[in-house]
């Protein structure tokens, strides 16, 4: 009886193991998934109790929050002092829908306002700082370069390959790809999304997934390396830059401009002051030398000759 029981138990485990292994989130490697019933797999964020829709992209805010959550035996936890202050990854405050809260603060009670891409758009202040609205990032400009090959790709082929990439891998509707320009080895991509319907992915999330893929830190569960093929030839991306354009201009631009102008004026004034001081010193030395020479001549004239 016991050997029979062992065989039955082994068969059950063999059947259950593949089901358990298949319970993963294809679009989010940081999601924690569990089989809660026959054929039913539920995935939630590691940093909260929010369920994850694995058929589409996870919001950038939730992704950044998951990156800041320590995972045992999976990855090292980035310490708070290792963060780039608001200009890189930080532990964000998210709405239940996954969008960023308009005001973000760090552990030192320093706060700032962000756009829908989570990028800082104001000067930093204390907790009294008020952010009246979450300004939407309407345009995203992506610039990238590829490694030079023996011959450049054709412009239509590059545009077609990248359009297919954004549509198939990141679920972005082609209507949001406003333009793709190619001047070897530079490629420019403009994503335009004035309003986002609930069923469409956000261009800020797409840009974040793409950036992670290019940096070989894919968010997808497969963690497969990004491969872009243009007519069968690999497009090896070398460098990447992403720029965010909001519906309203950022609030700190004029302050930075004023600070830059002030710095230039200060340098000019200091340079002019040093130049004038040097001229005055040279003039004083020249005058002093001339007076000494004149005094010596006068003494020679007044001295009687011994002859």
């Amino acid at each position: 009886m016991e050997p029979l029981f062992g065989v039955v138990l082994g068969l059950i485990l063999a059947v259950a193991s593949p089901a358990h292994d298949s319970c993963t989130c294809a679009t989010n490697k940081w999601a924690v998934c569990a089989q809660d019933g026959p054929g039913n797999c539920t995935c939630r964020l590691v940093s909260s109790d929010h369920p994850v829709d694995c058929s589409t992209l996870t919001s950038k805010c939730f992704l950044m929050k998951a990156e800041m959550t320590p995972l045992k035996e999976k990855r090292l936890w980035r310490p708070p002092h290792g963060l780039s202050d608001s200009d890189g990854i930080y532990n964000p405050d998210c709405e239940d829908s996954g969008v960023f809260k308009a005001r973000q603060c760090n552990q030192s009670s320093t706060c700032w306002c962000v756009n829908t891409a989570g990028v800082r758009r104001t000067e930093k202040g204390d907790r009294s700082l008020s952010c009246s609205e979450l300004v939407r990032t309407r345009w995203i400009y992506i610039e990238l370069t590829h490694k030079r090959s023996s011959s450049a790709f054709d412009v239509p082929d590059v545009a077609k390959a990248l359009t297919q990439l954004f549509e198939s891998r990141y679920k972005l509707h082609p209507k949001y790809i406003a333009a793709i320009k190619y001047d070897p080895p530079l490629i420019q991509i403009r994503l335009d999304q004035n309003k986002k319907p609930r069923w469409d992915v956000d261009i800020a999330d797409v840009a974040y997934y793409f950036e992670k893929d290019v940096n070989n830190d894919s968010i997808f569960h497969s963690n497969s390396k990004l491969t872009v093929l243009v007519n069968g030839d690999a497009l090896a991306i070398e460098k990447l830059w992403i720029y965010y354009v909001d519906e309203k201009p950022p609030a700190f631009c004029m302050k930075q401009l004023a600070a830059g102008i002030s710095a230039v004026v200060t340098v000019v004034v200091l340079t002019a002051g040093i130049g004038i001081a040097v001229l005055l010193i040279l003039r004083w030395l020249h005058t002093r030398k001339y007076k000494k020479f004149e005094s010596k001549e006068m003494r020679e004239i007044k001295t009687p000759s011994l002859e």
Side-chain angles (χ1 to χ4, degrees), residues 65-129:
K65 200 164 193 64
E67 286 185 84
M68 292 300 300
T69 302
L71 299 179
K72 294 182 180 179
E73 300 179 359
K74 288 189 177 181
R75 64 193 296 269
L76 296 177
W77 179 40
R78 186 193 300 268
H81 61 269
L83 298 179
S84 175
D85 190 13
S86 83
D87 292 326
I89 183 173
Y90 57 92
N91 191 0
D93 292 325
C94 311
E95 302 286 358
D96 290 338
S97 60
V99 302
F100 288 91
K101 290 187 177 180
R103 192 186 75 164
Q104 299 291 328
C105 300
N106 59 19
Q107 294 179 347
S108 63
S109 299
T110 300
C111 301
W112 59 92
C113 301
V114 300
N115 55 21
T116 52
V119 179
R120 181 167 64 91
R121 50 174 282 109
T122 65
E123 296 291 349
K124 297 173 185 176
D126 54 25
R127 290 194 175 273
S128 64
L129 177 68

Side-chain angles (χ1 to χ4, degrees), residues 176-188:
Y176 298 125
I177 304 176
I180 297 179
K181 293 187 177 181
Y182 178 44
D183 183 15
L186 177 67
I187 301 174
Q188 295 175 301

Side-chain angles (χ1 to χ4, degrees), residues 81-260:
H81 61 269
L83 298 179
S84 175
D85 190 13
S86 83
D87 292 326
I89 183 173
Y90 57 92
N91 191 0
D93 292 325
C94 311
E95 302 286 358
D96 290 338
S97 60
V99 302
F100 288 91
K101 290 187 177 180
R103 192 186 75 164
Q104 299 291 328
C105 300
N106 59 19
Q107 294 179 347
S108 63
S109 299
T110 300
C111 301
W112 59 92
C113 301
V114 300
N115 55 21
T116 52
V119 179
R120 181 167 64 91
R121 50 174 282 109
T122 65
E123 296 291 349
K124 297 173 185 176
D126 54 25
R127 290 194 175 273
S128 64
L129 177 68
S130 176
C131 303
S132 59
E133 61 177 330
L134 181 67
V135 178
R136 176 158 186 79
T137 296
R138 179 181 176 183
W139 297 338
I140 292 182
Y141 290 92
I142 301 174
E143 291 185 358
L144 55 93
T145 58
H146 66 81
K147 294 180 181 179
R148 294 182 180 272
S149 57
S150 56
S151 60
F153 300 102
D154 291 333
V155 176
D157 294 336
V158 172
K160 180 180 178 181
L162 290 173
T163 300
Q164 290 177 346
L165 171 73
F166 279 93
E167 185 177 7
S168 60
R169 188 173 178 88
Y170 307 115
K171 319 298 181 186
L172 182 67
H173 197 284
K175 67 181 179 181
Y176 298 125
I177 304 176
I180 297 179
K181 293 187 177 181
Y182 178 44
D183 183 15
L186 177 67
I187 301 174
Q188 295 175 301
I189 306 170
R190 174 177 162 179
L191 306 181
D192 189 344
Q193 191 178 50
N194 187 19
K195 293 182 180 180
K196 189 194 82 67
R198 183 180 55 83
W199 52 85
D200 283 336
V201 296
D202 195 298
I203 56 174
D205 302 336
V206 171
Y208 195 64
Y209 268 80
F210 183 60
E211 181 181 11
K212 288 289 188 179
D213 276 340
V214 172
N215 293 332
N216 293 325
D217 186 22
S218 178
I219 297 172
F220 294 100
H221 188 269
S222 62
N223 205 24
S224 59
K225 187 176 180 180
L226 177 66
T227 303
V228 183
L229 296 178
V230 181
N231 281 342
D233 295 326
L235 180 72
I237 299 175
E238 199 169 23
K239 295 180 180 179
L240 173 71
W241 300 269
I242 299 179
Y243 305 93
Y244 302 90
V245 181
D246 298 341
E247 290 178 340
K248 298 181 180 180
F252 54 78
C253 280
M254 293 308 295
K255 291 184 179 180
Q256 287 186 338
L257 180 61

